[in-house]
Amino acid sequence: FQMKFLLLSLLLVGISLAEEVKVEQGCRYKGNVYKNAETWSEKDAFKMKCIVEQNGSWRTEVTGCMTPSGLEVPVNSTKEENGMDWICESGAEGSIALKQKRNKMADCVGGHKNGEKWVDSSFEFECGEGGVQKFLGCVTPAGVKIADGEIKEIDGNKLECKMHANGTVALGALPKEKDAECVGKDGEKHPHGSTWVENVMFEYKCEDFGAKTIKGCIVKEQGLQIPINETREAGNTVFHCEVKDGSYRFYTSNKGEKM
């Protein structure tokens, strides 16, 4: 009887030991055991998966990348988030990398929508592909548009709109030739050295470099030419031609009348 009890005790001990060394099938990764098909995040950068084969062998693989916000991007695919394209791609020797680039339809800095055009300090811009700000050209105070690299003549001045190599943009007037023509009222052009009349009685002359200067007043009925800030008389009438506060005036008074 004593011998049978001893044998039974050994048998029970054997069963207990067998249970202690029984190993659960799964993937062992950094001290953790993961079941077949179980996934987890690694360093908040990659999505991992446990794969257990029928023969008991196991392996882990990267199934995707994680964006800083936690968005999962499967390997060799792209996902859009807040105007950015996040790309999780596999490289040589099984390496996995997460890359980012602006989405084609991304907005530009400053809140301008993709495809939107706007004017800032006489310069026109457009929000282009990938949220890249594109310079289109210049806009004069009168609303005339001049494309990037274009030279346009406006009111007798040749204006150039240009983006320089360093990225700065500028709208400037090109130097005139000494014998350049002048531009009069309503855009009418006058040759260098010529004179003409505007507003019935004010006479102008085209000086060097296209400078339009006023000579005085004309009274055709009396055949009078009156220089600026001078007077001429005809009968009892005094004709005045003057400049005051930047504006030109022509008026008449009676001889002997105090002004």
Side-chain angles (χ1 to χ4, degrees):
F1 174 78
Q2 184 177 2
M3 181 66 90
K4 288 183 179 180
F5 177 77
L6 181 60
L7 181 61
L8 181 58
S9 297
L10 289 172
L11 184 60
L12 292 173
V13 171
I15 292 173
S16 177
L17 290 173
E19 288 179 349
E20 287 180 4
V21 299
K22 183 180 179 181
V23 178
E24 183 180 358
Q25 284 189 337
C27 303
R28 294 162 182 76
Y29 188 83
K30 293 186 177 181
N32 297 313
V33 178
Y34 299 95
K35 297 179 181 180
N36 183 41
E38 185 178 355
T39 62
W40 68 95
S41 176
E42 175 64 19
K43 295 181 179 179
D44 295 326
F46 299 102
K47 197 74 171 182
M48 307 287 292
K49 183 178 182 180
C50 173
I51 300 174
V52 179
E53 306 294 350
Q54 290 183 351
N55 62 6
S57 63
W58 59 269
R59 60 188 170 86
T60 61
E61 69 175 28
V62 178
T63 61
C65 305
M66 307 288 292
T67 69
S69 68
L71 175 69
E72 182 179 349
V73 185
V75 174
N76 294 324
S77 68
T78 301
K79 282 193 176 182
E80 188 272 337
E81 182 183 44
N82 298 327
M84 301 296 297
D85 279 340
W86 293 91
I87 308 162
C88 183
E89 59 183 23
S90 58
E93 301 179 354
S95 62
I96 305 293
L98 178 65
K99 300 179 180 179
Q100 71 175 117
K101 67 177 182 180
R102 278 192 168 274
N103 185 272
K104 287 185 178 181
M105 300 304 294
D107 295 337
C108 289
V109 175
H112 297 286
K113 300 297 182 182
N114 191 274
E116 179 186 351
K117 295 180 181 180
W118 71 95
V119 176
D120 183 9
S121 300
S122 299
F123 302 113
E124 185 177 26
F125 300 92
E126 180 180 17
C127 184
E129 183 176 306
V132 178
Q133 180 175 291
K134 180 181 178 183
F135 175 60
L136 297 180
C138 306
V139 182
T140 70
V144 180
K145 293 186 177 182
I146 307 174
D148 179 24
E150 181 184 11
I151 297 175
K152 184 174 288 188
E153 185 171 334
I154 300 176
D155 295 333
N157 296 305
K158 291 184 178 180
L159 302 181
E160 180 183 34
C161 179
K162 185 176 182 180
M163 171 178 274
H164 300 285
N166 61 2
T168 60
V169 292
L171 173 64
L174 298 178
K176 290 185 176 182
E177 301 286 340
K178 186 175 182 179
D179 60 351
E181 58 189 8
C182 296
V183 178
K185 185 180 179 182
D186 299 326
E188 185 178 357
K189 294 183 179 180
H190 302 275
H192 175 256
S194 65
T195 60
W196 69 97
V197 176
E198 292 182 7
N199 297 324
V200 180
M201 58 192 60
F202 294 104
E203 184 181 31
Y204 293 87
K205 182 177 182 180
C206 184
E207 305 283 2
D208 291 347
F209 304 104
K212 173 185 172 183
T213 60
I214 188 166
K215 292 185 63 181
C217 303
I218 298 289
V219 184
K220 291 183 178 181
E221 295 80 2
Q222 303 295 334
L224 300 176
Q225 285 185 311
I226 312 170
I228 287 294
N229 292 327
E230 292 188 18
T231 61
R232 293 291 185 271
E233 297 178 1
N236 292 322
T237 305
V238 180
F239 298 89
H240 303 259
C241 183
E242 64 181 38
V243 58
K244 186 175 182 180
D245 298 328
S247 62
Y248 299 101
R249 296 200 312 159
F250 172 81
Y251 60 96
T252 62
S253 62
N254 295 323
K255 186 181 295 186
E257 180 180 351
K258 292 184 179 181
M259 301 299 297

